[in-house]
Structure formats: C-alpha cells, structure tokens
Amino acid sequence: MATAAQQVIGIDLGGTAIKLGRFTQSGQCLSDMTVPTPQPSTPAAVIAAMAEAIAALDPNRETVAIGVGTPGPADAAGRIARVAINLAGWTDVPIADALEAATGRPVVVANDANCAGLGEAWLGAGRAFKDVLTLTLGTGVGGAIILNGQLFVGRQGTAGELGLITLNPDGPPCNSGNRGSLEQYCSVQAIARETGLTPAVLYDRAKAGDEAAIAFWHTYGRWLGAGIASLVYVLTPEAVIVGGGISAAAALFLPTTQAELEMRVLPSSREGLQVLVAELGNQAGMVGAARLALQQYGDRQAGKPTH
C-alpha cells in the first residue's frame, strides 16, 4: 500500500460531472468516483460538492495534495479559475483557497485541456518523452505544452492555446477574434460547416469506401499537418499527441498529417518526432490534475514558492 506522502487527488471539473481519482506517486489509481455537478453550478455549490466528494474518496485523509482541472483558464499561479465554461457565475473564483480551507490540503488549479495534456504526458501516449504537445480535437481545438515534463502556461497562465494559431488569415472568424485559426479547420464545428456532417458519419462513410469522405479526411490531415508544422518549428517537441473525439478517425487522416509535416518541416526541426493518438480518453484530465498535485506537493516539500 502506498504511503501517505505518495497519494494525491486529481479532479476534473465539468459542466455536468465531477470526476475524482486518488493516485499514488507512480500513477496507480487507488480509487475513483464521479459525482454530478450541482445545478445551478455556482462556485459555492460546486466547491461544497467537491469537498464532500474528496472526503468520501479519502475518508482516512491519506492524500497530501489536490489538483483541479477547470473548463476555462486559470491564473499562472494555479490558484484562481478566471472563467469556467458552462458553470454559472464563475469569474475569478479563488478555488484553490476555498478548497484548501475546506480540506486542509494544498490545492493547485489548471485549465482542463492543460490537465489532459499533462495526463497523457505522464501516463498516456507521451510517457516516454519529456517535451510533448497535445491537441484535443473536439467541439473546439484545445492544446497543452509540456516542456521537460512540466506544464508550460506562460506568465499569465494563458499560454498553450494551440488551436488558436492562424492557419489562414482570411479564413472563417473565430470566437477568439482571430480568423482562420486551426480550430476553424479541425474542430467538430468546422467539419460540420465544411461538410454538413459529423465526424462519426464521415468516418463510417470513408471506411465504407466513399471517395468524397476519404478525400475529406485527407484534406483534414493536411490542415492539421500545416498547423502542427508551425508548432514544431517553435517548440521542436519529441511527440505530438492527438486526442479528443475526432482522434477516433486518426487512421484516416494521420498519414496525410505525417506527410505534410515531412514536406513542411526541416528534418533538423523534426528529428525523431512522433505523432501519436491519445490513450487515456476522458480520464486524461483527472490523471493530469493528479500529476499537477504531485508536482505542487513536491515544490512545497522542497521549499519552492507555489504562489
């Protein structure tokens, strides 16, 4: 059995459900649970529900730190949920302070896409690498940057918005204010605008030999490859991990993505680069939040400032 110093809790806070897991330092999940997100999901109600679930998951108080992934940006210090998508009244919520007061354990907070990336880097497809990029291909396109095993969020906590880089300056408008962002070509919404179909339908049609669907996935792979090429030139990662719902069709588009990278990126910038499919599914956020907690607790033990 793991010692107390090795156990942390990772929490993935979503608009409809809160996933929690208790993990050892080596990444073993000792127990997990899912509770509904309170409705209305006000900060006070959600924090109370999280504290109650933490007590149920760890009745003997064996855990030493807590990590939380929230659906929106956190501050650079990992203390405040600046905005939380699909949660009522969440603006600059001091979630770490509130949970620390409720549980008596250090808490660190990060954006859920960043947590998913950290989870894949720790226990998923990126576990053999130090420098990893993740792209979550879903309703939007999220991302995370892991450098030397650590999540990079920049001085304001908002770095790593990989889906918002420009692919076409004259392309469709993006909620960010950009035009033609990677998200406007590689998200579920972009696919629907382009084809009128869902990724699942396009996948099924392509697998059945539909030439138009096959051609679409080749085009999709080119768009994705062009976007990744820019990221590779800036960050030269060892691996790029592709996750999210659209990644279920990876076999149809990744060969084209790879070919695009080989054409667009100098060999010296992509030496040894691997493009991989995520492995942890919807557990990635919870796993990454636990990894954040382990890193936070390690920093406290070493006497480094955490906020």
Side-chain angles (χ1 to χ4, degrees):
M1 184 68 181
T3 65
Q6 292 176 299
Q7 292 187 32
V8 295
I9 289 176
I11 302 176
D12 184 13
L13 170 59
T16 59
I18 304 170
K19 300 187 191 77
L20 306 92
R22 185 156 61 101
F23 291 84
T24 66
Q25 197 166 9
S26 63
Q28 180 188 3
C29 184
L30 300 173
S31 57
D32 64 88
M33 65 188 298
T34 301
V35 299
T37 304
Q39 305 298 332
S41 49
T42 61
V46 169
I47 289 164
M50 290 167 70
E52 185 177 330
I54 289 164
L57 189 67
D58 181 23
N60 298 322
R61 296 182 61 87
E62 294 174 89
T63 55
V64 294
I66 298 164
V68 183
T70 64
D75 69 324
R79 308 295 300 167
I80 296 167
R82 297 172 67 179
V83 181
I85 299 158
N86 296 327
L87 299 179
W90 282 68
T91 305
D92 292 331
V93 176
I95 186 169
D97 286 349
L99 265 184
E100 284 179 356
T103 65
R105 276 157 279 185
V107 175
V108 61
V109 181
N111 166 266
D112 55 2
N114 283 337
C115 285
L118 193 58
E120 286 291 340
W122 183 32
L123 298 179
R127 60 188 174 273
F129 311 102
K130 293 282 190 185
D131 298 331
V132 178
L133 303 182
T134 62
L135 284 167
T136 307
L137 308 173
T139 305
V141 175
I145 300 169
I146 314 297
L147 299 177
N148 198 29
Q150 300 285 322
L151 183 64
F152 175 77
V153 297
R155 61 188 176 84
Q156 301 280 17
T158 53
E161 290 287 358
L162 306 184
L164 301 184
I165 65 169
T166 302
L167 204 58
N168 174 8
D170 299 316
C174 179
N175 289 337
S176 65
N178 195 4
R179 294 188 70 91
S181 62
L182 181 61
E183 183 170 279
Q184 293 308 308
Y185 291 88
C186 291
S187 65
V188 171
Q189 292 174 332
I191 290 172
R193 185 188 63 241
E194 184 74 16
T195 67
L197 300 170
T198 65
V201 169
L202 284 162
Y203 174 81
D204 288 341
R205 290 187 181 183
K207 294 295 282 185
D210 183 297
E211 290 186 7
I214 292 168
F216 168 78
W217 285 116
H218 289 173
T219 300
Y220 182 93
R222 286 196 65 215
W223 289 333
L224 184 61
I228 292 174
S230 295
L231 300 171
V232 169
Y233 271 127
V234 175
L235 295 162
T236 59
E238 298 168 274
V240 177
I241 298 170
V242 175
I246 298 172
S247 68
L252 299 174
F253 64 78
L254 275 193
T256 314
T257 299
Q258 290 273 16
E260 202 73 10
L261 287 169
E262 288 169 16
M263 180 180 70
R264 291 178 180 269
V265 181
L266 287 166
S268 55
S269 293
R270 58 175 166 83
E271 186 177 350
L273 175 68
Q274 296 191 42
V275 182
L276 305 168
V277 180
E279 295 177 0
L280 299 181
N282 63 11
Q283 302 298 302
M286 180 179 74
V287 171
R291 180 62 171 167
L292 265 185
L294 282 167
Q295 292 176 337
Q296 170 90 340
Y297 180 70
D299 282 349
R300 290 202 174 192
Q301 290 294 92
K304 298 176 186 175
T306 55
H307 61 278

